[in-house]
Amino acid sequence: MKRLKSRFTGLHSDHRRIFAGAFRVAVFLLLGKAAGALKEMAVAWRYGVSDVVDAYQFTMTMANWLPITIVGALSVVLIPVLVNSRDEEASLRRRFLRELHGWVILAGVVLAVGLYVGWPWVLEWAGAGLDAETRQMSGQLIFAFAPAALLTLLTGISAARLRARERYINTLLDSVPAVVILIWVLLATTGADVGPLLWGTLVGYVIQSAWLLWLAEKADGRTGMPRLGLSTHHWPDLMKAAGVMLVGQVAMSFVGPIDQYTAAGLGANANATLGYAARLLSLMLGLGAASVGRAALPVLADVQRRGDAERARRMALKWSVLMVAAGAGVTVVGWWLAPWMVELLFERGAFTPEDTIRVAEVMRWGLLQMPFYFGVLILVQLLASQNRYRIMASIAVGNFLLKAVMNSVLAPVMGVQGIMLATSLMYALSYVCYVAVAVRRPPTLQGQN
């Protein structure tokens, strides 16, 4: 133990910052994912692999994809801006944040109204493979997920502000909607309808958004009332970078909906089976790669700000190799333990042993993505800290095209397992592309878009 401590203290301070941040994120993720797992256990106990879960999984994926896409693109470009603005005048920074909140609220309201109005068309187009009862339940659930779109955007801005300050409590608060859904499902006295999922989702998002805003204001300084404007110098570069990044994020964001669309055409309960496997995989992905990825961006951006771009590149490559090895280990262990994990978390109430077998087989094919996903996340943060958004967008478009082709080829042959294998192949391509870019030393790393 003493030797391990001495090796840690001997690391460069920037490595220690990533390690310490990743550890905090991992702890928060573990607690948050535990709450999420309890929620999934409660949903499995009450609903099993049923039409209700099909409707919930479909609605959540299709309604969340655009808000999550916007937040993903904005966070990647916003965190370096916030890190670089630390030395600026406080009044200038506050004005920028007020304007940012104003535009985000406007975009969120437009998005929420658009979801309400356009959901029947979404059901007719993307939900054509669902039965009439499932589509009806999805139409009810959108009354929670439409306002959740606005709340997701606000939550993303607050989380970015906290991460720019290397504070990661937002990772723990990601579990608030799951906790509220868990409570609602357990306390519900009605039958197996969508009511507990609907109200748990809506109330959970409201609590999460308000809580994170309060923490961001406390950590980053009060900003005042939101306003619409583009008066600070941050906007031209931010809008240009966000526009480029959004292209890639939109392409990658279609992965979830295209999986739901593909699964909907495979027959009853394919969406539910895919959803249970995906949520188990997300627990492992989050604890491993996401913890390092979230901690790395503000540190790498700070190293870039200090003018040491070559050091940032070397750091990211070292962490990437380490994460690939860790992901390979997770794949081997997870393949062996998959049936046991599914049984432990889900097999009770309406979730049968036959459901366990189906979900475990799907999960195993998804485990093949682990080494590539683990390795690529740190390289994503490197390129983001270098402002190389055009390259990132190009890789994302290529990933989506491969995923779309592989879904159409593998799903008819392998079923839901083919959808997961297509995802694994997509991340393999992503890792190869990011390594090819990261190992090269560009003539200038600053100011690239």
Side-chain angles (χ1 to χ4, degrees), residues 244-245 248 379 383-384 386-399 430 433-438 440 442 444-445 448-449:
V244 173
M245 193 63 192
L379 299 180
L383 267 65
Q386 297 171 345
N387 301 329
R388 302 172 78 181
Y389 302 118
R390 286 182 181 170
I391 295 175
M392 296 171 69
S394 299
I395 294 174
V397 171
N399 290 340
S430 180
C433 292
Y434 271 98
V435 168
V437 173
R440 298 173 57 190
T444 175
L445 294 176
Q448 294 185 19
N449 287 312

Side-chain angles (χ1 to χ4, degrees), residues 5-298:
K5 183 178 179 181
S6 65
R7 290 189 66 180
F8 175 74
T9 54
L11 291 173
H12 190 279
S13 60
D14 291 327
H15 283 291
R16 290 203 304 271
R17 287 167 65 191
I18 294 178
F19 184 87
F23 179 77
R24 289 194 295 271
V25 172
V27 171
F28 290 150
L29 274 172
L30 181 61
L31 295 173
K33 295 295 185 179
L38 290 174
K39 184 263 287 185
E40 297 301 333
M41 292 166 67
V43 170
W45 164 73
R46 177 174 284 273
Y47 300 109
V49 179
S50 65
D51 292 343
V52 176
V53 181
D54 270 351
Y56 176 71
Q57 181 66 27
F58 176 85
T59 309
M60 179 176 63
T61 301
M62 299 301 290
N64 279 347
W65 79 266
L66 188 53
I68 290 176
T69 298
I70 295 172
V71 167
L74 193 56
S75 296
V76 169
V77 300
L78 181 59
I79 289 173
V81 171
L82 294 175
V83 170
N84 292 331
S85 68
R86 290 175 183 173
D87 300 327
E88 294 180 348
E89 192 176 324
S91 60
L92 179 66
R93 197 168 190 275
R94 281 197 301 271
R95 188 161 77 248
F96 168 65
L97 288 173
R98 289 175 61 195
E99 293 173 350
L100 179 66
H101 278 90
W103 288 113
V104 165
I105 290 171
L106 177 61
V109 170
V110 171
L111 191 55
V113 173
L115 281 171
Y116 274 127
V117 174
W119 199 248
W121 178 83
V122 173
L123 288 173
E124 181 180 348
W125 174 72
L130 303 173
D131 59 49
E133 185 177 0
T134 302
R135 289 198 297 271
Q136 181 183 6
M137 288 186 287
S138 178
Q140 297 170 350
L141 285 167
I142 197 60
F143 284 95
F145 281 104
L150 166 62
L151 298 171
T152 297
L153 297 187
L154 293 173
T155 296
I157 297 302
S158 299
R161 292 173 63 186
L162 288 167
R163 287 176 59 194
R165 294 287 179 178
E166 297 183 39
R167 301 186 184 184
Y168 304 103
I169 189 65
N170 64 287
T171 304
L172 178 60
L173 296 187
D174 285 345
S175 64
V176 169
V179 171
V180 178
I181 292 172
L182 167 67
I183 295 171
W184 226 286
V185 168
L186 291 177
L187 296 182
T189 58
T190 58
D193 59 18
V194 299
L197 298 174
L198 190 159
W199 288 107
T201 297
L202 181 58
V203 174
Y205 273 101
V206 169
I207 295 173
Q208 180 194 25
S209 179
W211 199 344
L212 272 176
L213 178 59
W214 177 74
L215 288 173
E217 295 278 285
K218 185 177 179 182
D220 201 30
R222 296 194 176 276
T223 58
M225 292 296 293
R227 64 187 292 266
L228 294 178
L230 301 170
S231 63
T232 70
H233 69 87
H234 308 87
W235 285 108
D237 289 340
L238 179 63
M239 292 174 68
K240 181 181 177 182
V244 173
M245 193 63 192
L246 190 60
V247 173
Q249 287 292 114
V250 167
M252 285 299 293
S253 73
F254 274 109
V255 169
I258 202 173
D259 280 353
Q260 293 299 306
Y261 177 77
T262 305
L266 294 177
N269 306 138
N271 286 92
T273 302
L274 179 66
Y276 281 121
R279 286 191 285 276
L280 247 178
L281 288 169
S282 71
L283 171 64
M284 303 166 74
L285 292 169
L287 290 177
S291 57
V292 176
R294 293 186 185 188
L297 179 54

Side-chain angles (χ1 to χ4, degrees), residues 354-410:
E354 291 75 18
D355 297 329
T356 294
I357 295 172
R358 289 199 300 270
V359 172
E361 284 303 310
V362 173
M363 177 184 168
R364 278 174 165 165
W365 287 100
L367 284 166
L368 297 177
Q369 71 187 271
M370 291 287 172
F372 311 112
Y373 186 92
F374 275 39
V376 81
L377 254 184
I378 189 73
L379 299 180
V380 169
Q381 312 310 316
L382 171 67
L383 267 65
S385 71
Q386 297 171 345
N387 301 329
R388 302 172 78 181
Y389 302 118
R390 286 182 181 170
I391 295 175
M392 296 171 69
S394 299
I395 294 174
V397 171
N399 290 340
F400 168 73
L401 293 176
L402 178 67
K403 171 66 173 173
V405 171
M406 289 296 99
N407 263 26
S408 64
V409 171
L410 296 174

